[in-house]
Every structure is written in structure tokens, then in C-alpha cells.
Amino acid sequence: MRVAFLVAPLGTEQVELTGPWQAVTDAGGTPKLVSTSAGKVQAFHHLDRADSFPVDLTVGEASEARFDGLVLPGGVANPDALRLDAEAVAFVASFFTAGKPVAAICHAPWTLIEADVVRGRTLTSWPSLRTDIRNAGGTWVDERVSICTAGPNTLITSRKPGDLQAFNAAFVEEFSA
């Protein structure tokens, strides 16, 4: 199981990166950190700086063909920056086109909205994205984890760090299939 974790250089919610990363590692998979810039990414604990992590590949170097699935960690600033980067948006969309599973938590569906891949899909997120998801043609639900197969791929979404256990179990099972 080879899994891409796409994050911006600044603003990822650390636990939404490290928790899923560890779940992939524990399942015998290989996680790779993909970002819009080389070097390191700065994670956050909500609004406070946390640890930094080395980037394995830039989004320009990465290809969906190298991975079995994609994880989009949240944080407010992270997906907001990603949705402004055309290469990042295209990278996300490529997983949908290829029919590969995607998992997104918290504010990460903003990037999915920008990639125009939520129309006709059911997903969850941090509650403040509810209207954005509906306006993009998706159905928003308030659940710990949502697994939607009504599209070209499986889309697994979750609301917040408190839902990580359910999120991790759901996406690891799907990515391992």
C-alpha cells in the first residue's frame, strides 16, 4: 500500500497528518509526503506551530500512478493554500479520474471542491464547510466517517481529530483492498 499525503508548506493540522501516517505504517504501507514546495512543511496544533516534516516529493514530481491512494489532512490554512495551487488540484483530481481511493479530513474537502469532485457525492467535514459542499453539488452529513462509493472511486471523509480512529480504520481498510 503506497499512500500519498498531500499538504501545503504551512498549516496542516499535525495530528491529522501523523495519525493517518502512523496508521499506514502500522498496516505495512509506505506513506510519502507530497507538497507544493520542496524542503519541509510546518504543521500546527490548531493555531500554534508544531513540528516540521520533510517533503518526499513535490506535487510536480508526483504522479497518481505511483500511489494506491491519497490522504488529504486538514487544518484551516492547509487546504486553503492547496486549492489555490493548480498542480495540487490536478493531482487530487487525477485520483478520481483513475478510480483510486481518496481520504480527506476536517477542512480538506475544500481542495476536493476546487477539484470539482464532490458533485453527487456524500461526505462529511468540519461543520463550517457544510454550505461549501452543498453549493458544490455534494451532500453533507454529520458523521464520524462517511464512505461514499457513488462515483468513480471510494471517497472517505471525516470531521475532526476526534474522529481519527474511525477515519484511519476506514481508509486503511479501503486502501488495502
Side-chain angles (χ1 to χ4, degrees):
M1 175 177 48
R2 297 164 301 161
V3 180
F5 282 75
L6 177 61
V7 300
L10 191 66
T12 299
E13 184 68 30
Q14 182 162 316
V15 71
E16 294 175 0
L17 171 63
T18 58
W21 186 283
Q22 189 63 51
V24 169
T25 302
D26 290 348
T30 304
K32 293 290 182 181
L33 190 60
V34 180
S35 187
T36 54
S37 298
K40 291 187 174 189
V41 297
Q42 176 65 58
F44 280 73
H45 291 300
H46 192 53
L47 299 176
D48 298 323
R49 285 186 185 268
D51 298 321
S52 61
F53 299 90
V55 172
D56 294 311
L57 297 164
T58 65
V59 74
E61 299 166 328
S63 165
E64 144 286 310
R66 296 175 65 175
F67 300 102
D68 301 310
L70 172 66
V71 173
L72 298 170
V76 177
N78 173 53
D80 195 46
L82 289 176
R83 66 185 176 160
L84 295 174
D85 186 286
E87 280 187 313
V89 171
F91 183 66
V92 170
S94 71
F95 282 82
F96 287 79
T97 301
K100 293 185 177 180
V102 173
I105 187 167
C106 198
H107 287 78
W110 268 338
T111 310
L112 300 176
I113 291 166
E114 191 63 32
D116 195 24
V117 295
V118 302
R119 190 173 326 281
R121 306 302 294 266
T122 298
L123 59 158
T124 193
S125 67
W126 186 253
S128 64
L129 276 67
R130 174 180 50 238
T131 300
D132 297 331
I133 290 167
R134 288 177 179 157
N135 287 343
T139 299
W140 187 85
V141 293
D142 185 13
E143 298 174 358
R144 288 177 43 202
V145 66
S146 173
I147 301 170
C148 180
T149 57
N153 65 338
T154 300
L155 176 60
I156 299 138
T157 53
S158 200
R159 301 173 301 189
K160 60 187 177 183
D163 297 333
L164 276 168
Q165 186 175 3
F167 178 68
N168 293 344
F171 89 76
V172 166
E173 181 179 334
E174 179 63 33
F175 286 20
S176 298

